[in-house]
Protein backbone atom coordinates (compact mmCIF):
# COMPACT_ATOMS: atom_id res chain seq x y z
CA UNK A 1 0.00 0.00 0.00
CA UNK A 2 1.36 3.43 -0.95
CA UNK A 3 0.01 5.08 2.16
CA UNK A 4 -1.54 8.53 2.28
CA UNK A 5 -0.23 10.61 -0.61
CA UNK A 6 -0.03 14.38 -0.44
CA UNK A 7 0.97 16.87 -3.10
CA UNK A 8 2.82 19.06 -3.51
CA UNK A 9 5.54 18.32 -0.94
CA UNK A 10 6.56 21.98 -0.94
CA UNK A 11 4.65 25.07 -2.01
CA UNK A 12 6.02 28.60 -2.08
CA UNK A 13 3.61 31.34 -3.03
CA UNK A 14 3.03 35.02 -2.65
CA UNK A 15 0.54 36.61 -0.34
CA UNK A 16 -2.87 36.88 -1.97
CA UNK A 17 -2.45 33.88 -4.22
CA UNK A 18 -4.68 30.83 -4.15
CA UNK A 19 -3.15 27.62 -2.81
CA UNK A 20 -4.54 24.13 -3.28
CA UNK A 21 -3.24 21.15 -1.34
CA UNK A 22 -4.13 17.64 -2.41
CA UNK A 23 -4.54 14.34 -0.64
CA UNK A 24 -5.16 10.75 -1.66
CA UNK A 25 -6.11 8.61 1.35
CA UNK A 26 -5.28 4.95 1.76
CA UNK A 27 -7.56 2.84 -0.40
CA UNK A 28 -10.49 1.55 1.62
CA UNK A 29 -10.24 4.21 4.29
CA UNK A 30 -13.40 6.20 4.73
CA UNK A 31 -12.35 8.91 7.17
CA UNK A 32 -10.04 11.74 6.16
CA UNK A 33 -8.52 14.46 8.30
CA UNK A 34 -6.63 17.67 7.56
CA UNK A 35 -4.17 18.90 10.21
CA UNK A 36 -1.88 21.91 10.34
CA UNK A 37 1.42 21.82 12.23
CA UNK A 38 2.94 24.96 13.70
CA UNK A 39 5.70 25.41 16.23
CA UNK A 40 3.41 27.07 18.75
CA UNK A 41 0.31 24.91 18.53
CA UNK A 42 1.58 21.57 17.31
CA UNK A 43 -0.90 19.60 15.21
CA UNK A 44 -4.26 21.34 14.88
CA UNK A 45 -7.27 19.58 13.40
CA UNK A 46 -8.76 21.69 10.62
CA UNK A 47 -11.52 19.48 9.28
CA UNK A 48 -12.46 15.85 8.91
CA UNK A 49 -14.64 13.88 6.55
CA UNK A 50 -16.43 10.60 7.01
CA UNK A 51 -17.64 8.84 3.87
CA UNK A 52 -16.81 12.00 1.88
CA UNK A 53 -19.06 14.17 4.05
CA UNK A 54 -17.55 16.97 6.15
CA UNK A 55 -18.33 16.15 9.78
CA UNK A 56 -16.50 18.83 11.74
CA UNK A 57 -14.91 21.93 10.24
CA UNK A 58 -14.76 23.92 13.45
CA UNK A 59 -10.97 23.96 13.23
CA UNK A 60 -10.90 25.78 9.91
CA UNK A 61 -9.37 29.12 10.89
CA UNK A 62 -11.19 31.45 8.54
CA UNK A 63 -13.43 31.63 5.53
CA UNK A 64 -10.29 31.79 3.44
CA UNK A 65 -9.93 28.06 4.08
CA UNK A 66 -12.11 25.49 2.36
CA UNK A 67 -11.93 21.73 1.92
CA UNK A 68 -13.64 19.29 -0.38
CA UNK A 69 -13.81 15.56 -0.80
CA UNK A 70 -15.51 14.85 -4.13
CA UNK A 71 -14.90 11.11 -3.88
CA UNK A 72 -13.41 8.49 -1.58
CA UNK A 73 -9.94 8.75 -3.09
CA UNK A 74 -9.32 12.48 -3.22
CA UNK A 75 -9.52 15.59 -1.08
CA UNK A 76 -8.36 19.18 -1.43
CA UNK A 77 -7.65 21.96 1.03
CA UNK A 78 -7.78 25.41 -0.53
CA UNK A 79 -6.61 28.72 0.87
CA UNK A 80 -7.78 31.82 -0.93
CA UNK A 81 -6.31 34.37 -0.56
CA UNK A 82 -3.23 33.07 1.22
CA UNK A 83 -1.44 35.06 3.92
CA UNK A 84 2.04 34.74 5.46
CA UNK A 85 0.55 33.46 8.73
CA UNK A 86 -0.77 30.45 6.83
CA UNK A 87 2.80 29.20 6.45
CA UNK A 88 2.97 25.78 8.10
CA UNK A 89 3.11 22.07 7.35
CA UNK A 90 -0.29 20.69 6.36
CA UNK A 91 -0.92 17.01 6.96
CA UNK A 92 -3.62 14.78 5.61
CA UNK A 93 -4.48 11.60 7.51
CA UNK A 94 -6.93 8.78 6.96
CA UNK A 95 -8.46 5.87 8.82
CA UNK A 96 -10.92 3.10 8.20
CA UNK A 97 -14.08 3.79 10.14
CA UNK A 98 -14.38 6.52 12.70
CA UNK A 99 -11.73 7.24 15.28
CA UNK A 100 -14.16 5.92 17.83
CA UNK A 101 -13.68 2.47 16.35
CA UNK A 102 -10.21 2.61 14.84
CA UNK A 103 -8.49 4.90 17.27
CA UNK A 104 -5.48 5.77 15.17
CA UNK A 105 -4.59 7.74 12.07
CA UNK A 106 -2.31 7.17 9.12
CA UNK A 107 -0.57 10.35 8.02
CA UNK A 108 0.82 11.54 4.73
CA UNK A 109 4.24 13.17 4.48
CA UNK A 110 2.77 16.66 4.58
CA UNK A 111 2.91 19.79 2.44
CA UNK A 112 5.31 22.51 3.55
CA UNK A 113 3.59 25.78 2.67
CA UNK A 114 5.45 29.07 2.63
CA UNK A 115 3.53 32.25 1.90
CA UNK A 116 5.82 35.19 1.24
CA UNK B 1 -7.06 26.47 23.79
CA UNK B 2 -4.42 23.77 24.12
CA UNK B 3 -6.15 20.73 25.58
CA UNK B 4 -3.05 18.60 25.22
CA UNK B 5 0.28 20.00 26.35
CA UNK B 6 3.82 18.81 26.01
CA UNK B 7 5.79 21.28 28.06
CA UNK B 8 9.24 20.08 27.07
CA UNK B 9 10.05 21.05 23.49
CA UNK B 10 13.21 18.98 23.54
CA UNK B 11 14.94 16.18 25.43
CA UNK B 12 18.43 14.77 25.08
CA UNK B 13 19.52 11.41 26.54
CA UNK B 14 22.45 9.09 26.24
CA UNK B 15 22.13 5.85 24.30
CA UNK B 16 21.13 2.98 26.58
CA UNK B 17 19.49 5.25 29.14
CA UNK B 18 15.79 5.79 29.73
CA UNK B 19 13.88 8.50 27.85
CA UNK B 20 10.79 9.89 29.56
CA UNK B 21 8.45 12.08 27.57
CA UNK B 22 5.59 13.79 29.36
CA UNK B 23 2.16 14.97 28.36
CA UNK B 24 -0.66 16.72 30.22
CA UNK B 25 -4.27 17.15 29.20
CA UNK B 26 -7.13 19.25 30.47
CA UNK B 27 -10.28 17.51 29.25
CA UNK B 28 -11.28 14.64 31.53
CA UNK B 29 -13.59 13.32 28.81
CA UNK B 30 -10.69 12.07 26.71
CA UNK B 31 -10.94 8.29 26.70
CA UNK B 32 -7.96 7.17 24.64
CA UNK B 33 -4.38 8.36 24.40
CA UNK B 34 -1.75 7.81 21.76
CA UNK B 35 1.85 8.57 21.01
CA UNK B 36 3.03 9.29 17.49
CA UNK B 37 6.61 9.48 16.28
CA UNK B 38 7.73 11.80 13.51
CA UNK B 39 10.96 11.79 11.51
CA UNK B 40 11.97 14.84 9.42
CA UNK B 41 10.14 15.15 6.10
CA UNK B 42 7.72 12.38 7.05
CA UNK B 43 4.28 12.30 8.56
CA UNK B 44 3.68 11.14 12.12
CA UNK B 45 3.38 7.39 12.59
CA UNK B 46 1.51 5.63 15.36
CA UNK B 47 3.71 4.28 18.13
CA UNK B 48 1.68 3.13 21.12
CA UNK B 49 -1.65 3.84 22.79
CA UNK B 50 -3.56 3.35 26.00
CA UNK B 51 -7.20 3.28 26.93
CA UNK B 52 -8.43 5.43 29.80
CA UNK B 53 -9.45 2.29 31.68
CA UNK B 54 -5.81 1.23 31.98
CA UNK B 55 -2.83 2.79 33.65
CA UNK B 56 -0.03 1.08 31.74
CA UNK B 57 0.61 -0.38 28.32
CA UNK B 58 3.87 -1.92 27.23
CA UNK B 59 5.19 -2.75 23.79
CA UNK B 60 8.81 -3.82 23.67
CA UNK B 61 11.03 -0.93 24.67
CA UNK B 62 8.07 1.44 24.83
CA UNK B 63 5.74 1.84 27.81
CA UNK B 64 2.99 4.39 28.24
CA UNK B 65 1.74 5.29 31.71
CA UNK B 66 -1.53 7.05 32.40
CA UNK B 67 -2.41 8.90 35.59
CA UNK B 68 -6.02 9.98 35.16
CA UNK B 69 -6.29 11.81 38.46
CA UNK B 70 -3.36 14.01 37.45
CA UNK B 71 -4.44 14.13 33.79
CA UNK B 72 -0.94 13.10 32.88
CA UNK B 73 0.63 10.49 30.68
CA UNK B 74 4.19 9.62 29.91
CA UNK B 75 6.13 7.58 27.40
CA UNK B 76 9.14 5.62 28.58
CA UNK B 77 11.71 4.31 26.14
CA UNK B 78 14.17 1.79 27.60
CA UNK B 79 16.87 1.42 26.47
CA UNK B 80 17.02 4.47 24.22
CA UNK B 81 18.65 4.07 20.81
CA UNK B 82 19.95 6.66 18.35
CA UNK B 83 17.20 5.60 15.92
CA UNK B 84 14.65 6.79 18.45
CA UNK B 85 15.70 10.37 17.75
CA UNK B 86 12.55 12.02 16.41
CA UNK B 87 9.70 14.31 17.41
CA UNK B 88 7.13 12.60 19.61
CA UNK B 89 3.54 13.80 19.65
CA UNK B 90 1.11 13.01 22.39
CA UNK B 91 -2.54 12.74 21.30
CA UNK B 92 -5.82 12.42 23.16
CA UNK B 93 -9.02 11.10 21.67
CA UNK B 94 -12.58 11.91 22.56
CA UNK B 95 -14.19 8.91 20.92
CA UNK B 96 -17.70 10.19 21.30
CA UNK B 97 -17.25 12.95 18.75
CA UNK B 98 -14.28 11.61 16.82
CA UNK B 99 -12.03 14.37 18.10
CA UNK B 100 -8.27 13.73 18.35
CA UNK B 101 -6.11 16.50 19.80
CA UNK B 102 -2.35 16.67 19.62
CA UNK B 103 0.33 18.28 21.71
CA UNK B 104 3.05 20.49 20.25
CA UNK B 105 5.59 17.67 20.25
CA UNK B 106 8.88 16.91 22.02
CA UNK B 107 12.08 16.52 20.04
CA UNK B 108 14.06 13.58 21.42
CA UNK B 109 17.76 13.28 20.68
CA UNK B 110 19.53 10.09 21.67
CA UNK B 111 23.28 10.52 21.66
CA UNK B 112 25.59 7.57 20.89
Amino acid sequence: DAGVIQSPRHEVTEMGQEVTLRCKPISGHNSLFWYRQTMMRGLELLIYFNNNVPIDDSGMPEDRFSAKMPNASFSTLKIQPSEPRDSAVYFCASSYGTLRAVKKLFFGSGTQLSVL
Amino acid sequence: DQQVKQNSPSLSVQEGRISILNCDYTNSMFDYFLWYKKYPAEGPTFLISISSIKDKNEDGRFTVFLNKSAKHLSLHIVPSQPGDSAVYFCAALLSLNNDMRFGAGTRLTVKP
Side-chain angles (χ1 to χ4, degrees):
Chain A
D1 196 319
V4 177
I5 300 173
Q6 290 186 247
S7 65
R9 289 297 302 271
H10 303 275
E11 177 77 36
V12 181
T13 190
E14 292 184 346
M15 182 175 63
Q17 296 297 306
E18 176 182 303
V19 175
T20 299
L21 310 181
R22 297 172 176 78
C23 175
K24 176 178 168 54
I26 292 173
S27 178
H29 283 193
N30 61 352
S31 290
L32 184 141
F33 303 76
W34 283 100
Y35 283 87
R36 177 172 68 176
Q37 182 190 6
T38 61
M39 291 292 292
M40 292 300 295
R41 300 181 66 84
L43 283 163
E44 298 176 273
L45 176 64
L46 300 176
I47 185 172
Y48 79 86
F49 296 83
N50 186 246
N51 293 323
N52 311 340
V53 177
I55 302 300
D56 184 354
D57 65 354
S58 59
M60 297 285 262
E62 298 171 33
D63 291 345
R64 298 184 296 108
F65 286 69
S66 62
K68 294 181 179 179
M69 192 165 186
N71 56 62
S73 59
F74 184 66
S75 177
T76 59
L77 177 66
K78 183 179 293 186
I79 308 172
Q80 181 185 21
S82 57
E83 296 182 3
R85 60 190 168 127
D86 301 331
S87 298
V89 181
Y90 291 79
F91 287 101
C92 176
S94 70
S95 68
Y96 174 71
T98 64
L99 282 177
R100 186 174 187 177
V102 176
K103 298 195 178 354
K104 69 178 182 181
L105 298 172
F106 297 84
F107 283 84
S109 298
T111 295
Q112 174 78 59
L113 174 64
S114 298
V115 183
L116 306 177
Chain B
D1 178 24
Q2 284 285 86
Q3 296 190 45
V4 179
K5 297 180 181 179
Q6 294 177 256
N7 292 319
S8 298
S10 63
L11 174 68
S12 181
V13 300
Q14 206 67 33
E15 180 179 6
R17 298 293 184 101
I18 183 171
S19 295
I20 300 177
L21 296 96
N22 294 302
C23 178
D24 297 292
Y25 60 96
T26 57
N27 189 344
S28 59
M29 297 296 292
F30 287 133
D31 55 357
Y32 207 79
F33 303 90
L34 307 92
W35 285 93
Y36 285 80
K37 178 178 179 180
K38 183 185 179 303
Y39 291 118
E42 296 181 8
T45 55
F46 170 76
L47 182 60
I48 191 170
S49 62
I50 187 168
S51 165
S52 61
I53 63 173
K54 296 185 176 182
D55 55 18
K56 177 183 175 181
N57 187 29
E58 189 174 350
D59 183 4
R61 297 185 297 114
F62 303 90
T63 303
V64 55
F65 295 92
L66 176 63
N67 182 336
K68 283 197 301 182
S69 61
K71 296 189 181 69
H72 177 84
L73 67 155
S74 61
L75 174 67
H76 293 210
I77 306 174
V78 180
S80 301
Q81 299 174 354
D84 296 329
S85 297
V87 176
Y88 289 79
F89 288 98
C90 169
L93 174 62
L94 185 57
S95 301
L96 185 64
N97 62 4
N98 224 35
D99 189 351
M100 184 177 286
R101 303 282 173 147
F102 285 81
T106 296
R107 180 177 300 280
L108 172 66
T109 303
V110 180
K111 298 180 178 179

